[in-house]
């Protein structure tokens, strides 16, 4: 039995301890069990193992997760957790801090962890499952590992070998035994996070909703990261299935307005997308939030996207989630030259001043998430934290290759990005 007070101190004050390996189930789109969604990109091998080779129970008390638990208890940093450390350093939301705040109540599970890292009382109460990479979009910042629609482009770009990757759709190959193992934990689940791929296309996610209904878990917090291009599954209306539950949160991905969004989120139809937003926003149990991944494609139009969605009554003003793109690095907002960073910084600060004068922010009696304001300052801090202008040639090089495959032209859609072209000396590989 471990010292309870020491564990309480770790949860409250540690810079490295995280509750994740005691409470969180994360399944990647490639069928691997992993610590969480914030695991550093490219570090799949540092997860717990493949569900195509092991059972859930084997991985839940396996060697890798046990080592991670012990590392947490020793308050040692992990390279694969770098993204959370970076977010913590700029005051931005992190999986680590969020898990400690929400699941510190399961202190007993940590307390009874033995010297080998076994935690027999630990249960996955927060699920973040991505059964496969099945998706109908192929977003610029995505890849084959998270989207089956990327398959042909990935082959043409030399990112994958079709002789080794013979299937467009990858993930948990046989989900039935995995779902059977999870059945005993459904009564304990308090939060489900469906992502992908595109979660509204996956049979397994529809099945889990049915099992929640069977166990009368109507109060489960259910969150989707979705492109919202599809609202039916196997001839069933998805919105009607959601009406059984009290709390459905839709984090709807949007990375631009109109043709800008269609360029970044290839295969998306902007008009249909807006119609689907109109449909779901009418549901009383659905909390609609726009989810913007900040990249070089939209950093200079970030405020414009927010105002467009608000002024056209698609969202409430505080219903925005801003994600910082960390990978691929050549799509990062850090690529902006310093003079443009100053301009974007000023624009965001002016937007923040305006936001603070609007409801709900101007009323102390209104309930809102303070991070919906803080995240704007985090964008500024992240963008200005490093000078990555040396990656501009790689940005243009990779963009040109994909433009050729997709018969598109970056600067036709994003003329403001000519500033990157101008920043480079002649012959640096910039687009014309």
């Amino acid at each position: 039995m471990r010292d309870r007070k020491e564990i309480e101190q770790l949860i409250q004050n540690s810079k490295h301890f995280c509750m994740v390996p005691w409470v969180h189930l994360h399944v990647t789109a490639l069928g691997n069990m992993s610590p969480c969604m914030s695991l550093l990109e490219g570090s799949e091998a540092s997860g717990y193992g493949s569900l195509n080779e092991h059972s859930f129970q084997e991985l839940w008390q396996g060697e890798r997760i046990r080592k991670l638990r012990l590392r947490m208890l020793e308050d040692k940093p992990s390279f694969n957790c770098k993204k959370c450390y970076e977010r913590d350093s700029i005051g931005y939301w992190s999986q680590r801090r969020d898990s400690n705040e929400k699941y510190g109540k399961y202190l007993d599970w940590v307390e009874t962890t033995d010297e080998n890292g076994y935690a027999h009382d630990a249960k996955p109460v927060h699920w973040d499952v991505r059964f496969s990479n099945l998706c109908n979009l192929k977003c610029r910042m995505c890849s084959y590992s998270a989207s089956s629609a990327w398959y042909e482009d990935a082959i043409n770009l030399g990112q994958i070998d079709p002789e080794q990757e013979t299937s467009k759709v990858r993930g948990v190959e046989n989900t039935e035994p995995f779902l059977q193992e999870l059945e005993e934990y459904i009564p304990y689940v308090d939060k489900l996070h469906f992502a992908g791929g595109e979660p509204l296309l996956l049979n397994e996610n529809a099945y889990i909703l049915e099992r929640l209904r069977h166990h009368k878990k109507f109060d489960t917090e259910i969150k989707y990261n979705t492109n919202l291009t599809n609202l039916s599954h196997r001839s069933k209306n998805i919105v009607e299935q959601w009406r059984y539950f009290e709390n459905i949160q839709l984090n709807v991905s949007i990375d631009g307005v109109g043709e800008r969004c269609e360029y970044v989120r290839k295969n998306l139809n902007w008009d249909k997308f807006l119609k689907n937003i109109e449909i779901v926003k009418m549901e009383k149990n659905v909390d609609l939030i726009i989810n913007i991944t900040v990249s070089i494609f939209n950093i200079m139009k970030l405020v414009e996207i927010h105002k467009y969605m608000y002024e056209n009554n698609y969202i409430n003003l505080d219903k925005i989630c801003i994600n910082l793109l960390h990978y691929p690095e050549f799509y990062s907002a850090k690529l902006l030259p310093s003079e443009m960073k100053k301009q974007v910084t000023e624009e965001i600060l002016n937007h923040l001043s305006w936001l603070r004068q609007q409801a709900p922010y101007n009323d102390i009696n209104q309930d809102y998430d303070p991070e919906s304001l803080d995240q704007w300052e985090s964008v500024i801090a992240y963008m200005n934290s490093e000078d990555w202008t040396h990656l501009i040639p790689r940005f243009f090089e990779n963009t040109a290759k994909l433009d050729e495959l997709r018969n598109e032209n970056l600067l036709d859609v994003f003329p403001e990005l000519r500033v990157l072209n101008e920043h480079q000396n002649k012959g640096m590989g910039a687009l014309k």
Side-chain angles (χ1 to χ4, degrees):
M1 185 76 70
R2 296 178 180 272
D3 186 277
R4 190 176 186 87
K5 289 186 178 180
E6 288 184 4
I7 298 170
E8 288 176 346
Q9 287 299 312
L10 280 173
I11 293 174
Q12 294 172 9
N13 302 319
S14 168
K15 293 183 179 180
H16 308 117
F17 179 86
C18 180
M19 283 293 299
V20 156
W22 284 270
V23 300
H24 187 53
L25 166 64
H26 178 63
V27 181
T28 75
L30 295 181
N32 296 323
M33 258 180 68
S34 175
C36 70
M37 68 175 182
S38 296
L39 188 73
L40 196 66
E41 282 89 350
S43 54
E44 284 268 331
S46 300
Y48 304 146
S50 172
L51 285 164
N52 294 322
E53 300 172 1
H54 304 277
S55 69
F56 163 74
Q57 287 294 345
E58 288 172 343
L59 298 178
W60 186 243
Q61 298 294 348
E63 181 181 3
R64 290 182 180 178
I65 193 173
R66 287 188 285 111
K67 285 184 176 180
L68 183 60
R69 288 173 184 148
L70 294 175
R71 194 169 187 84
M72 295 297 179
L73 288 167
E74 294 169 1
D75 197 16
K76 292 181 178 179
S78 296
F79 171 78
N80 299 307
C81 301
K82 182 180 178 182
K83 187 185 292 186
C84 276
Y85 303 152
E86 184 176 40
R87 287 174 170 232
D88 287 341
S89 71
I90 60 174
Y92 195 65
W93 180 95
S94 74
Q95 181 88 37
R96 188 192 76 85
R97 195 154 43 88
D98 186 67
S99 296
N100 288 349
E101 290 172 0
K102 291 182 177 178
Y103 300 112
K105 60 185 178 182
Y106 296 111
L107 185 67
D108 292 348
W109 299 353
V110 182
E111 191 178 5
T112 57
T113 302
D114 69 20
E115 67 276 8
N116 295 312
Y118 286 102
H120 296 292
D121 295 330
K123 299 175 181 64
V125 296
H126 177 193
W127 299 6
D128 179 356
V129 289
R130 310 160 192 233
F131 289 96
S132 79
N133 67 339
L134 179 65
C135 188
N136 55 339
L137 302 188
K138 45 182 180 179
C139 303
R140 286 273 167 161
M141 57 285 188
C142 197
S143 65
Y144 166 63
S145 64
S147 170
S148 57
W150 250 93
Y151 184 69
E152 287 81 7
D153 285 350
I155 291 174
N156 288 324
L157 292 172
Q159 296 175 353
I160 60 174
D161 182 350
E163 294 185 3
Q164 294 183 354
E165 302 290 350
T166 58
S167 175
K168 290 180 66 172
V169 179
R170 287 190 58 191
V172 183
E173 294 169 0
N174 185 2
T175 57
E176 185 175 352
F178 175 48
L179 290 169
Q180 288 175 350
E181 281 193 276
L182 293 183
E183 182 75 23
E184 68 174 286
Y185 298 104
I186 289 180
Y188 301 98
V189 174
D190 64 14
K191 183 174 181 178
L192 280 173
H193 180 193
F194 293 131
E198 169 48 42
L200 298 183
L201 299 177
L202 300 181
N203 298 333
E204 293 81 6
N205 293 344
Y207 172 82
I208 290 176
L209 289 187
E210 292 177 4
R211 299 313 299 160
L212 287 173
R213 287 172 54 190
H214 173 80
H215 287 276
K216 301 189 185 326
K217 293 281 292 180
F218 304 119
D219 61 345
T220 303
E221 182 182 341
I222 303 173
K223 174 183 175 181
Y224 290 83
N225 276 82
T226 174
N227 60 40
L228 207 69
T229 58
N230 176 68
L231 290 176
S232 64
H233 181 265
R234 290 188 168 181
S235 74
K236 289 185 178 181
N237 186 307
I238 295 174
V239 177
E240 291 178 359
Q241 304 305 308
W242 287 338
R243 290 174 183 157
Y244 290 98
F245 302 96
E246 298 171 11
N247 185 355
I248 301 289
Q249 178 179 318
L250 298 183
N251 279 46
V252 179
S253 299
I254 172 174
D255 296 297
V257 172
E259 67 172 346
R260 292 170 177 268
C261 194
E262 291 179 337
Y263 177 96
V264 177
R265 308 187 63 76
K266 183 67 173 179
N267 295 340
L268 178 137
N269 180 293
W270 178 251
D271 291 335
K272 181 180 179 182
F273 172 74
L274 292 182
K275 288 179 182 178
N276 285 346
I277 286 183
E278 292 278 12
I279 291 171
V280 299
K281 65 178 285 202
M282 300 300 293
E283 300 296 313
K284 294 181 180 180
N285 65 326
V286 173
D287 187 19
L288 177 66
I289 299 171
I290 59 168
N291 199 85
I292 304 176
T293 298
V294 178
S295 70
I296 193 64
F297 293 111
N298 55 29
I299 183 64
M300 289 191 281
K301 299 291 183 179
L302 193 57
V303 171
E304 180 181 302
I305 298 170
H306 188 204
K307 284 192 171 182
Y308 176 89
M309 297 303 289
Y310 168 66
E311 291 171 356
N312 287 279
N313 297 315
Y314 292 117
I315 59 165
N316 294 330
L317 197 58
D318 61 325
K319 297 301 181 180
I320 177 173
C321 177
I322 300 176
N323 291 318
L324 303 173
L325 184 140
H326 294 264
Y327 185 86
E329 292 182 341
F330 52 78
Y331 286 155
S332 172
K334 295 179 184 180
L335 266 70
L336 273 187
S338 59
E339 62 271 20
M340 293 310 301
K341 286 182 177 180
K342 290 178 183 178
Q343 182 176 318
V344 171
T345 297
E346 183 179 358
E347 185 176 2
I348 292 177
L349 289 175
N350 289 338
H351 187 55
L352 264 174
S353 297
W354 176 79
L355 286 174
R356 292 190 177 102
Q357 299 171 30
Q358 313 302 315
Y361 303 115
N362 63 350
D363 187 346
I364 59 174
N365 297 314
Q366 288 287 322
D367 183 29
Y368 65 87
D369 183 355
E371 288 195 358
S372 64
L373 280 179
D374 296 343
Q375 61 186 344
W376 290 94
E377 294 182 346
S378 296
V379 171
I380 294 173
Y382 180 74
M383 176 184 67
N384 289 312
S385 63
E386 294 177 278
D387 178 1
W388 282 6
T389 51
H390 63 282
L391 292 177
I392 291 176
R394 284 185 59 197
F395 165 69
F396 280 126
E397 179 184 353
N398 283 272
T399 300
K401 290 178 180 178
L402 208 50
D403 275 355
E404 184 177 1
L405 287 175
R406 298 180 178 183
N407 194 28
E408 295 173 329
N409 187 291
L410 171 75
L411 298 180
D412 285 348
V413 184
F414 302 90
E416 71 277 9
L417 290 182
R418 291 185 186 278
V419 68
L420 302 183
N421 211 350
E422 295 164 2
H423 184 80
Q424 294 301 294
N425 294 325
K426 292 183 180 180
M428 292 288 286
L431 293 179
K432 297 181 178 180

